[in-house]
């Protein structure tokens, strides 16, 4: 069920995206935190939409997420084919906006994911940037080890639930993180959970973000590809998405 949705969602390849501005997304989160409800935010891109075709858990995550924002020019183009406008909202920008909001409102924030030490560095950077940010926990994202050193996934879920975060940021690989949040959201005890992919690596300074002009030109993906050439294999789905989207122009009523 779509809660708080005032404008009709835009259907893309059988899934959907919310035509919200960044400001409206923050408003939506505010009402969920204050209403004590649980909200999952998805930051959609073409590779996620394609992955959802073959992954029922991810498809379900898309269908039940209360807020799906467009984090890619590919999604903007697909919406434009239906005569709809979508603002591109980068996950990392929305995360920062929400941290600013959290600092002002005393919300409890938890950072889960990335390599050991990165979530802690991310918290340090964001506390310096948004004084008063109430970080109630951090943990790295490599918790599946069979050794006795790393806590199990179950331990981590319990730790998060005990910390009762208002905002839970999950920096695991995309789109695994979104299926993971969906699968565990009933037990995470977080009011809002959002997958943020590699954002901790950028905020903590381990990876650079694309310069503003590249972001404005919709080329952030190219910058990441140059920094991490191993991503090329994952991006092979992009032409498939474009072909499917442009090949099957949906009607305005879908
Ligand atoms: N990561 C993790 N646990 C894992 C594998 C990856 O926490 O088992 C982290 C990784 O360190 C990175 C984040 O997940 O900070 C996002 O991974 P990646 O860059 O591969 O995905 P994307 O940015 O495309 O979502």
């Amino acid at each position: 069920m779509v809660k708080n949705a005032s404008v009709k969602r835009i259907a893309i390849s059988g899934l959907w995206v919310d035509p919200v501005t960044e400001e409206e997304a923050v408003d939506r989160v505010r009402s969920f935190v204050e209403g004590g409800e649980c909200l999952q935010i998805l930051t959609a891109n073409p590779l996620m939409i394609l992955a959802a075709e073959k992954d029922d858990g991810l498809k379900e995550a898309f269908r039940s997420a209360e807020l799906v924002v467009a984090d890619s020019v590919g999604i903007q183009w697909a919406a434009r084919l239906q005569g709809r406008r979508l603002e591109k909202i980068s996950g990392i920008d929305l995360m920062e906006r929400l941290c600013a909001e959290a600092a002002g409102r005393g919300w409890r924030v938890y950072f889960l994911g990335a390599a050991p030490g990165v979530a802690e560095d991310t918290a340090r950077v964001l506390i310096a940037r948004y004084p008063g940010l109430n970080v109630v926990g951090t943990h790295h994202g490599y918790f599946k080890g069979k050794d006795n050193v790393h806590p199990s996934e179950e331990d981590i879920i319990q730790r998060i639930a005990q910390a009762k975060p208002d905002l839970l940021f999950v920096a695991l690989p995309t789109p695994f993180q979104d299926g993971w949040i969906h699968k565990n959201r009933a037990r995470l005890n977080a009011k809002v959970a959002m997958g943020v992919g590699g954002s901790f690596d950028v905020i903590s300074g381990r990876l650079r973000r694309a310069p503003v002009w590249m972001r404005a030109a919709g080329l952030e993906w190219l910058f990441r590809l140059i920094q991490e050439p191993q991503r090329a294999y994952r991006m092979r789905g992009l032409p498939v998405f474009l072909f499917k989207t442009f090949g099957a122009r949906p009607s305005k009523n879908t």
Side-chain angles (χ1 to χ4, degrees), residues 1 5 13 41 46 55 92 109 131 133 137 139 165 196 202 220 241 248:
M1 189 181 73
S13 294
I41 305 175
D55 178 340
I92 189 167
V109 182
L133 185 66
H139 201 281
V196 294
V202 174
E220 200 154 12
F241 176 80

Side-chain angles (χ1 to χ4, degrees), residues 113-115 141-142 171-174 197-198 201 224 228 231 234:
Y142 291 80
L172 296 174
T174 308
D201 295 319
R224 281 205 76 181
E228 304 167 80
R231 297 179 72 83
R234 295 166 54 167

Side-chain angles (χ1 to χ4, degrees), residues 10-13 15-19 43-50 62 68-82 84-89 238 241-242 245-246:
I10 300 177
I12 292 172
S13 294
L15 302 171
W16 52 63
V17 178
D18 290 298
T43 57
N45 66 43
L47 296 181
M48 286 168 75
I49 298 226
L50 283 179
F62 257 101
V68 182
V69 301
D71 186 0
S72 146
V73 283
I75 302 286
Q76 283 182 305
W77 291 340
R80 207 165 294 160
L81 284 178
Q82 304 177 45
R84 304 283 303 270
R85 284 210 162 275
L86 267 179
E87 179 175 315
K88 180 178 177 304
I89 301 178
L238 285 177
F241 176 80
L242 292 178
T245 311
F246 283 83

Side-chain angles (χ1 to χ4, degrees), residues 112-115 118 140-144 171-177 196-201 207 224 228 231 234:
L112 168 70
V118 179
H140 63 74
Y142 291 80
F143 42 76
K144 277 190 180 164
L172 296 174
T174 308
F176 170 82
Q177 59 185 7
V196 294
S199 299
F200 292 3
D201 295 319
L207 282 180
R224 281 205 76 181
E228 304 167 80
R231 297 179 72 83
R234 295 166 54 167

Side-chain angles (χ1 to χ4, degrees), residues 6-206:
S6 49
V7 185
K8 199 173 170 229
R9 295 184 131 183
I10 300 177
I12 292 172
S13 294
L15 302 171
W16 52 63
V17 178
D18 290 298
V20 290
T21 62
E22 196 172 285
E23 201 54 50
E24 287 164 347
V26 174
D27 279 349
R28 190 87 68 90
V29 169
R30 199 179 294 127
S31 73
F32 272 83
V33 171
E34 285 165 5
E37 294 178 79
C38 178
L39 165 85
Q40 176 169 6
I41 305 175
L42 248 85
T43 57
N45 66 43
L47 296 181
M48 286 168 75
I49 298 226
L50 283 179
E53 286 180 6
K54 296 183 186 143
D55 178 340
D56 287 342
L58 184 58
K59 202 179 290 161
E60 205 31 59
F62 257 101
R63 294 199 167 140
S64 65
E66 287 77 6
L67 184 58
V68 182
V69 301
D71 186 0
S72 146
V73 283
I75 302 286
Q76 283 182 305
W77 291 340
R80 207 165 294 160
L81 284 178
Q82 304 177 45
R84 304 283 303 270
R85 284 210 162 275
L86 267 179
E87 179 175 315
K88 180 178 177 304
I89 301 178
S90 294
I92 189 167
D93 290 334
L94 183 56
M95 175 180 165
E96 290 237 8
R97 281 291 308 273
L98 292 175
C99 284
E101 196 72 19
R105 294 177 180 268
W107 292 346
R108 302 161 67 81
V109 182
Y110 198 110
F111 298 105
L112 168 70
V118 179
E120 290 73 14
D121 286 351
T122 300
R124 263 190 288 278
V125 168
L126 291 173
I127 288 169
R129 221 171 263 171
Y130 308 109
L133 185 66
N134 182 13
V135 178
V136 293
T138 57
H139 201 281
H140 63 74
Y142 291 80
F143 42 76
K144 277 190 180 164
K146 294 189 175 61
D147 52 48
N148 290 323
V149 181
H150 295 96
S152 67
E153 182 173 323
E154 201 49 45
D155 286 340
I156 301 298
I157 291 172
Q158 278 177 27
R159 283 187 205 192
I160 295 171
Q162 277 161 14
K164 295 196 190 87
D166 292 308
L167 303 184
L168 168 64
F169 295 108
V170 179
L172 296 174
T174 308
F176 170 82
Q177 59 185 7
D178 306 288
W180 188 88
I181 292 172
H182 173 68
K183 185 175 77 174
N184 297 304
R185 65 187 271 183
R187 297 187 301 140
L188 287 166
N189 208 8
K191 290 187 190 150
V192 173
M194 172 180 171
V196 294
S199 299
F200 292 3
D201 295 319
V202 174
I203 293 170
S204 67
R206 281 158 177 87

